Amino acid sequence: MKRYKQGNFNLVYFMKEKPTVSVIIPTYNEKENIPILIKKLETVLSKYTYEILIVDDNSPDLTWETAEKLAEKNPRIRVMRRISERGLSSAVVSGMSAASGDYFAVMDADLQHDEAILPSMIEEMRKGGCDICVGSRTVSGGGYGEWSKIRLFMSKAATLLTRIMLPVPVNDPMSGYFIITRKLFHQSAEKINPRGFKILMEFIGRNPGIKVKETGFTFRTRQYGETKLSGSVIRNFLISLYDIRFGKFISYQFLLYALVGSTGVFVNLGGFFLGEMMGLPVIHTGMLGNLDPLYFSVLFGIEISILSNYILNNFITFYEYRHKGKSMISGFFFFQLISIVGLLVQTGVFLLFQNNGFFTDLIADEALRKIFNNLLGIIAATATNYFLNVNITWKQR
Ligand code: GDD
Ligand code: MN
């Protein structure tokens, strides 16, 4: 047996044995917890060939350094220090893509997941007959431990919603503690979207025919460090849920974009009234033919709604991309230009259909036909604007 190098990557050469289970532990600022957890895992997993992958997102408290020290002592431990990526779910996926066991277990580093049930979960997997085994708080033997009323309520509400929406019945789909077969991971790797915290829900939701088993455990209270749960976790959860169920029909991004757009209608009207109250002038340009006189209040309403649409889209529709690439100001410049293109498309389509007498056989009534043609203009403009904004204003690198 040849030992290549101390520490991380000697595992495969040194053990000469494929691990049964790879335990993947995402960490962010868990330097006090990780040594305690590793010690517990070493005891609990002693009868298995295992590997432990600690996936740290370059924690400011240097968790990865603490983890590397542990890896020097135990060659079954590997550390991934991710520099330019952040996020619990994406850390789990990174860990899994580098893991070599037959089963991939995921657990939190903060000791809230009871390691004592890990062997029975592994046995459940080895018996065959299931693709995922969930460490569950809502089956017999399980519990939430000391949770605040508000968080308990949120978790229960989310669980109920998920149970209704997901194709496979699972009691605790919100759990972050589970084992999945290597095979299922590689089958679904391209389908899943690792945003936010709820990676288990992705695996279950994107794989309708799978078998899931659950083992109860009581969620412990965190002793060191703090939770990274934030408002964006809720947002990402709702988006994932929608995406899993309806994403094939209409992308969540377009849905949010259209919702923001419809709020713009009201902002637009509000701006118009505000303009009227401010007494913005009506100008006769004498050049614009049919458009003359020019209502400044109308322009004011339009501009205000462009601004509010831009802000809302930044914080709602394109939340993930807002800090990548352009600054807020240059983003607005493109958004503004694209809005003008949209205006031209809408009027263009309307005039084209109207002036050439399109749909006269279909809709005899003149007034109704105008509305219909304008509606087609609006649809064309929305589609053009969306396409341009996705590819220019909020381009994903
Ligand atoms: N690499 C990495 N990157 N790890 C992260 C990140 C990140 O951005 N954010 C959190 N983690 C790690 C933490 O260090 C911890 O080990 C684990 O992920 C869970 O994070 P917590 O911040 O402790 O989450 P929680 O306790 O509020 O939520 C847990 O319980 C929920 C049950 O309702 C998680 O297991 C959730 O997935 C679970 O849904
Ligand atoms: Mn936690």
Side-chain angles (χ1 to χ4, degrees), residues 201-251:
M201 193 176 93
E202 286 283 328
F203 285 124
I204 297 173
R206 312 261 181 208
N207 292 297
I210 58 167
K211 281 242 159 53
V212 181
K213 291 240 167 85
E214 294 180 69
T215 306
F217 82 101
T218 302
F219 206 79
R220 292 199 204 112
T221 308
R222 194 190 248 280
Q223 304 292 345
Y224 305 100
E226 51 198 40
T227 175
K228 284 92 209 171
L229 200 77
S230 66
S232 71
V233 170
I234 299 172
R235 171 192 182 273
N236 284 325
F237 158 70
L238 292 173
I239 286 182
S240 287
L241 205 56
Y242 172 88
D243 201 32
I244 287 169
R245 203 73 174 72
F246 307 111
K248 321 190 243 313
F249 309 114
I250 295 174
S251 84

Side-chain angles (χ1 to χ4, degrees), residues 384-395:
T384 321
N385 277 16
Y386 179 70
F387 178 79
L388 292 175
N389 276 319
V390 164
N391 288 295
I392 298 172
T393 316
W394 289 283
K395 186 176 166 56

Side-chain angles (χ1 to χ4, degrees), residues 108 110 112 219 222:
D108 291 355
D110 56 6
Q112 296 191 283
F219 206 79
R222 194 190 248 280

Side-chain angles (χ1 to χ4, degrees), residues 25-30 55-57 82 85-89 91-92 107-110 112-113 137 144 147 151 155 172-177 197-199 219 222 226-229:
I25 308 173
T27 59
Y28 195 76
N29 287 347
E30 306 284 3
V55 189
D56 186 69
D57 289 355
R82 301 199 309 166
E85 262 179 290
R86 256 303 306 267
L88 170 49
S89 293
V92 168
M107 74 190 294
D108 291 355
D110 56 6
Q112 296 191 283
H113 292 163
R137 295 158 296 179
Y144 281 92
W147 276 36
R151 192 164 171 201
S155 182
D172 193 0
M174 298 289 105
S175 180
Y177 189 18
F197 268 38
K198 307 301 174 193
I199 187 69
F219 206 79
R222 194 190 248 280
E226 51 198 40
T227 175
K228 284 92 209 171
L229 200 77

Side-chain angles (χ1 to χ4, degrees), residues 30 34 58 62 76 168 233 239 258 287 353:
E30 306 284 3
I34 201 78
N58 205 19
L62 306 184
R76 295 165 186 247
V168 183
V233 170
I239 286 182
M287 301 186 298
F353 290 174

